[in-house]
Structures are given as structure tokens and as C-alpha cells.
Amino acid sequence: MTRALVALLAVAVGAAGIYAIGARQAHDHAPITLEAVPANHLAFASYQPGTWKRTVFILALGSDERAGLGGARTDAIHVIGLNPALGRATFIDIPRDTWVDIPGHGQGRINEAYGDGGVALTAQTVSQLVGVPISYVLVTTFAGFTKMVDGIGGVNVDVPYLMSDPNSGAAFNPGLQHMNGAQALSFSRDRHIPDGDLARTGHQGQLIIHALTDLRAKGTTLTDIVRDLDVLYRNVRTIGISPTDLFRLAQTALAIRPENIRNYTMPAALGFKGAASVVFVRQPDASSVFADFADDAVLQTH
Amino acid sequence: MRFRPLVLVAVVLCLAGAACSSSPKKPQARPGVTGTVAVQMHVREVAAGELISPARGIRPLDDPTKARVLAAVQKLFDATLVDPLTAGQAGSIDSVFTNDAVRQAATVDRAAMYDEALPRITRLKADKAEVQLTGLAGGNDQAALVIAKFGWDVTGDGGKVHIVRSGELSLIPVLGTWLIAAYDVANATTVDGTTTTTTAVKK
């Protein structure tokens, strides 16, 4: 479960296998949380195999929350659409500095919604932008992300160009390489690259898909998935999601073949709002992409 | 997950109430025998069943649930493998599947789910008839789903028929019993040296 959200969930499960250290459901500041959005939550009274055929949209967030630092924002924002019937998934990558309307808070960068209103407001903001109902939100911190990647034994990443950025710690030559959690975090945070934040958000989506590929290779039987849930529960705080619904979600996510996952960065343009560097939604291209995505979570014309 | 090598299943084959085939007093199978050959073969749980619970971690699957799930698997084993081979006719599986699942299992997936149209045999030996149970607790912390991972390896009449069936069954509680609601099964049947492989998936 690690494509913008599908992928992230997969990574969370895999990581839990190794980092089974947390107190079960007891950590208020868990590095990873998975929360249902009440209005759109797909819940079933009892488990019935095969009933999850509906398209589901999940929001994956990477928070920069760190001990001692207040005002957490979301460095990574991805909407993951899963279409079980078609066996396809799409990641829509949203640059963190995207300038949007934040309900009740005027205009601002989309990553400010998390500090303004947490998961609920972020989900509302993203849902308003993309035009899809968000059913679940997965949030991971730097520490959680690092653990997730290490937990699945690292991830293979094809670095497109030389990356050298003291701020993020990225120091990579071009080409395919195996990264541990800390390296993957650096790769996903580096924005001092061609196309800056736009390229960075695309890298995050790619990384999640790579991780998903690795996870699938480790086993996707039903027994595997149930056991994965045990390790997930040791590390991920779940809110509003029953175990059987989570099982169903994991089963759905892992059934999608990596080659059927599309990673697409929202049409956008770098610019300024006053003196502040921001990312503007590029219209009408973005609306066209969102409409294509919203009907079935698959991009047919983009 | 792989089966833990806790138990190598011994095969229990009793013909007409007599001792097993390894016994010096075993009854002699008579060629051309007609009527039903009484056979008892027991599937064995190869590891203590476990229940994954969000609130309480891993704990043993409770005995009543385990017994009911194993009974369903046993019934499937008897009805689709033992009965067709020894009695020439499959048993009913209606009572171990949900309505939705049995419709598919008994029709489009029949070739994988049943060992039918094979030479009738009088002696059965199971080198493996294993089941591993992994449950998932629901919101009430009671088992809401049990995955039965199974592996069967059965030989009839000293190798005339060889059946290897494996896969996973998803069982859910329905009105006090446990029914198979989904499955993923692979079956390889070898008759006189020719192997036929079939698979079936119900999600």
C-alpha cells in the first residue's frame, strides 16, 4: 500500500513488520495515522468479501511535524484514486505551495490547511480543489516515513539527474539506486531541482509506487494481508476504520498491479503571491485533469 | 505465510471400519468393488489458530470458532475430494459456502473445486491435509473473518490418482456458523501420469 496513498498505506503495513515498537493504539503522537473522513467513509456493518467494488479516494499527507517545532504543515499531498473494478489506480500529486481557497480561512498555500484545521480541513480543501470525495486520510511524519521505507527494506529509485541539496540532505547521482529511509526522505524533500516543487511532488509519487512494487513482491495472500494488519496496528493509529474495512482496503490496494498505477502531477505553474513563492493551479488544464480523474479515478484523456 | 512444520499430517484411511492401510490387519481392497467405500481422513490444523485484534494484538483463536471453521474445511475436503473418489459422487457443499460463493464454486469453478470424473479408488493416502487459521477481529473484538490456508496432497490406489490442492478460504460468521465466502484455489490432478491443473478465485 504505497502509491500517494495506496502506496503509503502499503508502505505503512510493510514498515510495521519491522518497526513493531509502538504501544497498540495508545500513541497520541503516532508517526503515522490513518483516519476515516466521516462524510465519505466507506464502512460496512460486517465483512462481506467482494463487496468493495466502488472507487475510493484516499488522501496521503506527509507532515513536517517534528518534536519541538510547532505549526505543522504538509510537505507531501497526494490524492490516490483506486478503481477496483478496473484494477487501476491514479496518484494526483499536489504541490505543497499550491495557492487555493481554504474553507473558512481565505486563500493560502494548501499545506497551511493542516495547521489551520488538521486532517478534516485538509481533506475538505483538497476535495474542493480536485472535486472528489475523500474517504480516508493517511498522515505520516518524517519519522514515520523513514520507518516505513526502512521497514520494507528500502526502496529502489531511479534518480533522473544529479541531486545535491544540503537542506534536504539529498546527494544522489543519476540512475537507479537503492535508498534507505533517510535517503528516500531526502529524495522526496529536495526541491532545489529543475521545476522545483512540481518535480519534487512527482518524485514523492514515484517513490510510493516503487515501494508498492517491493511490497507486492513480498506476498499478497489473504493470510499475508491479515498478518500485515497486525504489524500495522502496532505502528499506525487508525481512527474510524474497522479492521475488516481496513483489510478490504488493503486487499483492494495490493491487488492493483504497479504498472496499472499512474502518477500525475497536477497542472501548475510556479509564481509569486506578493513576495511569496507559490504554485498556481494552471487552468483550464487542471480542471480538465480533475474531471477526468473524478469520474472513475483513472485518467483516460491525459 | 508458510505452514509451520509442526505436524506432518498422518493420513487416516480406514476402509469399512477396519484399521489403516499400514496395519497388518488391513482389509484387502477388492477390484471392482461397488457401493460406498467408507473413508475417514481428517484435516489437521498445523499451527494454533491466531486472531489479529487491533486492541489486543495476537491472541489464540477461540475454540468454538476454530472448531466451526475446521468443520467447514473438513466438509469441503470430504464432499469435493474424498466422496467423489471413493463413492463416485460428490457430496453437497451448500452448507459450507455462502449462497453467493456456492453458486460460483459449484458451477464455473467446479473443475477446480471438485475432483470428479476420476477413476474411482478404494485406497486413499494423504501425505498432507493441513490447515492454518488466521483470524481478524472486528469492531467488537470477536472474530469477523478467518482465513483458512490449506494444503492437501492425496494419493489414491498407490499412485493411480494423485491430487494436490492448495489455497485460501475466507470464512465469515453467518447466523452462528462459519461459511466460506471467498476462495483462491489451485488444483493439480494426476491420473496415470497425466497432470491437469485448474485454478479458481472468488473474491
Side-chain angles (χ1 to χ4, degrees):
Chain A
M1 323 159 188
T2 180
R3 322 76 197 235
L5 193 88
V6 174
L8 278 176
L9 181 56
V11 171
V13 170
I18 292 188
Y19 290 92
I21 53 176
R24 190 172 294 274
Q25 296 290 300
H27 35 347
D28 291 336
H29 300 287
I32 308 167
T33 61
L34 179 62
E35 182 170 353
V37 178
N40 305 310
H41 172 205
L42 299 178
F44 298 84
S46 62
Y47 176 70
Q48 292 290 331
T51 55
W52 192 308
K53 295 184 174 66
R54 286 180 285 173
T55 294
V56 59
F57 295 96
I58 302 166
L59 177 61
L61 303 173
S63 164
D64 66 357
E65 180 179 355
R66 282 167 285 187
L69 293 178
R73 293 176 298 185
T74 45
D75 264 1
I77 305 169
H78 307 271
V79 181
I80 301 168
L82 297 179
N83 187 324
L86 296 178
R88 302 174 72 93
T90 304
F91 284 21
I92 298 292
D93 310 319
I94 301 173
R96 68 169 191 176
D97 290 335
T98 301
W99 192 256
V100 295
D101 289 322
I102 302 174
H105 295 267
Q107 288 192 316
R109 291 186 175 107
I110 197 168
N111 67 346
E112 295 168 5
Y114 191 69
D116 291 340
V119 164
L121 183 60
T122 305
Q124 187 181 359
T125 303
V126 171
S127 182
Q128 177 179 276
L129 172 66
V130 180
V132 299
I134 302 294
S135 294
Y136 303 100
V137 181
L138 178 70
V139 183
T140 180
T141 62
F142 288 171
F145 180 88
T146 303
K147 286 182 175 182
M148 284 196 288
V149 175
D150 283 337
I152 60 170
V155 61
N156 293 312
V157 179
D158 193 4
V159 178
Y161 33 64
L162 178 69
M163 297 175 73
S164 179
D165 173 34
N167 292 327
S168 64
F172 305 109
N173 289 315
L176 187 65
Q177 48 207 283
H178 190 77
M179 295 185 184
N180 62 24
Q183 290 169 324
L185 180 63
S186 298
F187 173 79
S188 69
R189 292 186 61 212
D190 184 6
R191 61 192 177 100
H192 296 102
I193 50 179
D195 287 333
D197 199 35
L198 300 183
R200 175 173 74 162
T201 191
H203 289 168
Q204 293 164 353
Q206 289 169 11
L207 197 144
I208 293 173
I209 294 171
H210 283 305
L212 173 66
T213 302
D214 293 345
L215 265 183
R216 278 177 53 91
K218 292 182 178 179
T220 58
T221 70
L222 300 179
T223 304
D224 290 332
I225 295 172
V226 172
R227 291 193 167 277
D228 284 344
L229 289 184
D230 175 58
V231 288
L232 181 141
Y233 278 121
R234 296 172 192 265
N235 296 276
V236 179
R237 187 163 62 106
T238 59
I239 305 166
I241 307 171
S242 74
T244 48
D245 283 350
L246 189 53
F247 171 79
R248 196 193 322 262
L249 180 61
Q251 194 180 1
T252 299
L254 286 172
I256 296 175
R257 301 161 67 93
E259 59 266 33
N260 290 334
I261 303 171
R262 180 90 181 274
N263 184 40
Y264 196 96
T265 300
M266 178 195 83
L270 301 174
F272 288 91
K273 194 71 178 177
S277 174
V278 300
V279 172
F280 291 109
V281 177
R282 198 177 72 227
Q283 298 291 16
D285 297 354
S287 291
S288 174
V289 168
F290 293 155
D292 189 6
F293 175 65
D295 60 347
D296 59 3
V298 177
L299 295 178
Q300 277 95 357
T301 59
H302 293 86
Chain B
M1 292 302 297
R2 293 175 174 80
F3 289 124
R4 298 178 190 176
L6 296 182
V7 178
L8 178 60
V9 172
V11 178
V12 181
L13 167 61
C14 298
L15 296 176
C20 296
S21 58
S22 58
S23 164
K25 295 181 179 179
K26 68 178 181 181
Q28 295 301 308
R30 290 171 296 166
V33 66
T34 57
T36 300
V37 180
V39 175
Q40 278 191 305
M41 302 179 74
H42 298 293
V43 296
R44 299 285 184 89
E45 188 183 13
V46 292
E50 293 178 333
L51 181 67
I52 309 300
S53 162
R56 297 168 59 188
I58 296 179
R59 67 178 195 268
L61 193 61
D62 63 277
D63 288 340
T65 296
K66 195 157 60 175
R68 290 179 182 125
V69 170
L70 287 173
V73 177
Q74 179 72 52
K75 176 69 175 173
L76 179 69
F77 184 66
D78 289 341
T80 63
L81 191 151
V82 177
D83 291 349
L85 288 175
T86 60
Q89 185 172 3
S92 171
I93 57 171
D94 291 356
S95 63
V96 294
F97 281 82
T98 62
N99 291 337
D100 181 45
V102 78
R103 274 195 292 273
Q104 181 171 330
T107 56
V108 295
D109 290 337
R110 194 169 185 94
M113 301 300 289
Y114 289 83
D115 290 295
E116 296 178 306
L118 300 175
R120 193 168 163 193
I121 56 89
T122 57
R123 288 175 293 134
L124 272 182
K125 178 177 181 296
D127 290 321
K128 190 164 76 171
E130 301 173 339
V131 181
Q132 174 185 311
L133 305 181
T134 307
L136 180 65
N140 60 0
D141 209 35
Q142 300 299 307
L145 166 72
V146 174
I147 307 299
K149 187 171 188 174
F150 71 95
W152 302 338
D153 187 335
V154 177
T155 302
D157 285 354
K160 184 176 178 182
V161 176
H162 183 205
I163 295 164
V164 178
R165 201 191 302 184
S166 62
E168 291 184 310
L169 310 169
S170 297
L171 295 100
I172 59 173
V174 178
L175 300 175
T177 189
W178 283 79
L179 301 179
I180 300 166
Y183 52 80
D184 186 344
V185 173
N187 198 21
T189 304
T190 303
V191 179
D192 295 331
T194 302
T195 300
T196 303
T197 302
T198 50
T199 59
V201 177
K202 168 75 173 75
K203 291 183 177 177

